[in-house]
Amino acid sequence: MENIKDVVLKYVIDEYLEDDSEEITYDTPLISGGIVDSFSMVSLKRFLEVKYKIQIPDDEATPEAFDNVNSIVALVEKFLNK
Amino acid sequence: MSNIGSYEERIKNFDWSIAEKELGYKKGDVINIGWYCSDRICQLGKAGKTALKWEGHAGQTKEYTYDDLRKVSNTIGHFLRGLGIQPEDRVCLFMDKIPELYIGLLGILKIGAIAQPLFSAFGDESLFVRLENAETRAIITQKKHAPKVKKILDRLPNLEYIIIVDHDGKKALGEKEVAMNLDTMEWIDSFEIHPTTAESPSLLHYTSGTTGLPKGVKHVHYSLISQYLTTKWVLDLQEDDIYWCTADPGWVTGTSYGIIGPFSMGVTQCVLDAGFSAENWYKFIEKYRITMWYSAPTAIRSLMKAGDEIVKQFDLSSLRHLASVGEPLNAEAVVWSERVFGKPFYDTYWQTETGSIMIANYPGMKVKPGSMGRPFPGITGGIVDTETYEEIKDINKPGLIAFRPGWPAMMRMYWKNEETYKKKFQNGWYIPGDRATLDSDGYFWFIGRDDDVINTGGHLVSPFEVESALLEHPSVAESAVVAKPDEVNMEVVKAFVTLKEGYQPSEELELDIMNFIRKKLSPLAMPQEIEYMDKLPKTRSGKIMRRLLRAQEWGEDIGDTSTLEND
């Protein structure tokens, strides 16, 4: 199975970074850092749900849970294991 | 004591000359917003006072005094003049909430050019239609946003300069790109400001309607008069206040009350250039000891969602006065803020075209939670019939909000769109396009839009623009876009589509279409939900019946369906 961390990081880079010279890591703040806004978070959540065949409840999809790749992976793993 | 004092007394004795006198302006004088927001404050002896405290998402900070504001705006004006930018040329500001955006606007105004602020999250197509319509000559941006400009450059023959404010030399500048780095440039002390007068154009803000392309709302330098006085009386800014307006200057609140209002009053304001999180916002208020906070219902509802417990972790005792704008503030939010902050959010109502606050709740006046408040002194507001535009005198009877034209910040035209501009005036009233009722105490109560425009998070999205963009996706045959209710954003975009032959509905396709719109238009315009249909409901003449789809989303009666096309 593909490494979830790398899949999410690649998706964020491909879909949300405007400047290809900008570098982000697993810890880069995405929401508070202004890379992914609250509206775009909906498409990122949808990607995770489609890719990993999970359902993330709206009250778990908080700006804090989506604020970096590491926290997103933790969220995905929580629902993958359910 | 509040600045406005008694609302009732102000209504009786009101004249816009109150603001003119306070600003030292006489009819026929030169009036330049750039000068009023920086040089004048220095002349009043406040050159050393902090004008702007800025914090970026990584915690980096910058601070500018009013004298810095004066010199930096001079420097930007000088730079633009050096490029050959002339009075009334359109110069676009396309940046995150960084100091160059706030001070750049003043620099543009100082040379008599027209500032055209645009939301930096706009996708390339949204950017294109606005730059093309305005025949913009220069755009000031950051290197992270420059790729979107480059993508459409070939289609914009009038765009001569892409001014990059954070060019670091790592990559060579591209076609039409020039660098303007304020950290390394020598700031200019003495500068000849263009002698603009009351009716000289100042700003071009774009707003969306149900049909057609976005409209460029032209404002003039005289707008300062109402922006100054509404800031003083509604937001109640006082000498020692530390002010935070959370709006982005890509939208009108961010310019009228994030730049012009506070700077023309010589107040210290703080700016946080970071995405939303309840913790970061409370931390910001605590750190900078914010006293006056002007925000939006979407943000307030997001804070409510984060809960009461988190509020207790911060010292928010500096907060003195709170106000809100963007969409109606629900009564629950007012009651919640009284409980957790010890004071209510005061709702305010206005729009891009009005340029300044029209209806508000005022310090010292009784707040009726859920109400928009009462008209600003000097503003004649009423409710008119949706067909005849005759004033409705009956209490609590729904109709259209209407204002008698003539306040200083009123728009002067829609850019190159005289016909649509004229339609906004009916029977001697200006019609903003919202429905409301009026109670026996003269308070307005918001009902909703009178058209299909979607108000999401306080920003207007045109269903027409989204529908047109959807048709450019290879899989979409037909589309209809409506507002869907949303707990936090009031409304969000929902799209109904039929697919072309060879395409099957799937979750992957839905995500692909969502991302397509997000990048092309903006995250605000991205449908939060897409529903696949075999066919869209249409009239016999072939027009899509958007109202049926909307009624379905809102659980409303679908009304008359006699014109619906038969199967």
Side-chain angles (χ1 to χ4, degrees), chain B residues 4-23:
Chain B
I4 190 168
S6 159
Y7 173 76
E8 302 297 341
E9 285 303 311
R10 291 293 192 188
I11 292 179
K12 280 187 222 155
N13 305 308
F14 187 82
D15 195 278
W16 289 109
S17 65
I18 295 169
E20 294 180 348
K21 277 182 202 144
E22 288 189 16
L23 289 165

Side-chain angles (χ1 to χ4, degrees), chain B residues 160-287:
Chain B
E160 292 174 49
Y161 301 104
I162 305 167
I163 301 163
I164 313 284
V165 296
D166 55 353
H167 179 65
D168 53 14
K170 284 184 188 162
K171 259 188 185 174
L173 288 165
E175 186 189 354
K176 297 189 178 181
E177 286 181 350
V178 288
M180 181 185 75
N181 191 331
L182 294 169
D183 294 334
T184 56
M185 289 163 87
E186 193 178 331
W187 294 354
I188 289 173
D189 188 49
S190 175
F191 184 69
E192 193 186 325
I193 294 172
H194 187 75
T196 46
T197 52
E199 292 304 305
S200 302
S202 56
L203 275 133
L204 196 56
H205 264 298
Y206 276 79
T207 185
S208 295
T210 308
T211 57
L213 293 171
K215 296 160 290 188
V217 177
K218 187 181 98 169
H219 287 291
V220 297
H221 282 264
Y222 190 64
S223 70
L224 171 69
I225 301 300
S226 28
Q227 288 156 345
Y228 166 83
L229 202 60
T230 48
T231 303
K232 184 167 180 177
W233 287 3
V234 182
L235 303 185
D236 196 42
L237 285 187
Q238 300 181 8
E239 183 61 34
D240 295 331
D241 267 325
I242 306 291
Y243 172 61
W244 183 27
C245 171
T246 59
D248 188 310
W251 308 101
V252 73
T253 301
T255 55
S256 291
Y257 298 104
I259 300 178
I260 301 171
F263 287 153
S264 67
M265 287 194 66
V267 164
T268 299
Q269 74 157 322
C270 299
V271 170
L272 175 63
D273 180 27
F276 174 82
S277 102
E279 188 184 349
N280 285 350
W281 277 35
Y282 291 141
K283 208 182 274 178
F284 189 74
I285 293 169
E286 181 182 68
K287 180 178 174 183

Side-chain angles (χ1 to χ4, degrees), chain B residues 69 102 146-147 175 179 227 240 260 285 317 343 428 501-503 518:
Chain B
L69 213 60
Y102 292 77
E175 186 189 354
Q227 288 156 345
D240 295 331
I260 301 171
I285 293 169
S317 59
K343 37 193 69 69
E501 255 186 64
Y503 288 91
R518 179 174 57 79

Side-chain angles (χ1 to χ4, degrees), chain B residues 341-366:
Chain B
F341 302 127
K343 37 193 69 69
F345 271 96
Y346 287 71
D347 199 11
T348 65
Y349 169 86
W350 58 294
Q351 58 171 192
T352 306
E353 287 88 337
T354 69
S356 62
I357 294 168
M358 302 300 282
I359 297 174
N361 291 280
Y362 306 88
M365 193 176 91
K366 183 185 170 193

Side-chain angles (χ1 to χ4, degrees), chain B residues 402-420:
Chain B
F403 300 111
R404 291 289 182 204
W407 63 96
M410 177 67 204
M411 70 164 166
R412 297 305 197 261
M413 66 181 280
Y414 284 134
W415 197 255
K416 299 194 290 190
N417 196 345
E418 182 72 20
E419 196 188 341
T420 308

Side-chain angles (χ1 to χ4, degrees), chain B residues 447-469:
Chain B
I447 298 174
R449 288 288 303 172
D450 189 49
D451 54 23
D452 292 331
V453 173
I454 301 163
N455 185 337
T456 186
H459 306 300
L460 302 186
V461 171
S462 156
F464 168 79
E465 251 189 301
V466 184
E467 286 166 0
S468 304

Side-chain angles (χ1 to χ4, degrees), chain B residues 27-96:
Chain B
K27 292 225 179 319
D29 279 358
V30 165
I31 177 169
N32 186 297
I33 292 174
W35 180 84
Y36 269 98
C37 289
S38 56
D39 298 59
R40 177 174 176 270
I41 305 300
C42 295
Q43 287 182 12
L44 293 173
K46 295 199 278 186
K49 183 175 178 179
T50 302
L52 176 64
K53 290 182 179 189
W54 174 86
E55 185 170 314
H57 60 79
Q60 68 276 39
T61 59
K62 285 185 180 180
E63 209 169 301
Y64 298 83
T65 63
Y66 271 96
D67 199 44
D68 294 337
L69 213 60
R70 180 182 69 81
K71 288 179 187 163
V72 176
S73 55
N74 284 351
T75 307
I76 295 169
H78 177 79
F79 183 89
L80 293 170
R81 221 176 241 168
L83 293 177
I85 301 298
Q86 299 292 317
E88 303 202 16
D89 280 348
R90 273 72 64 204
V91 179
C92 175
L93 292 154
F94 189 57
M95 285 176 272
D96 296 346

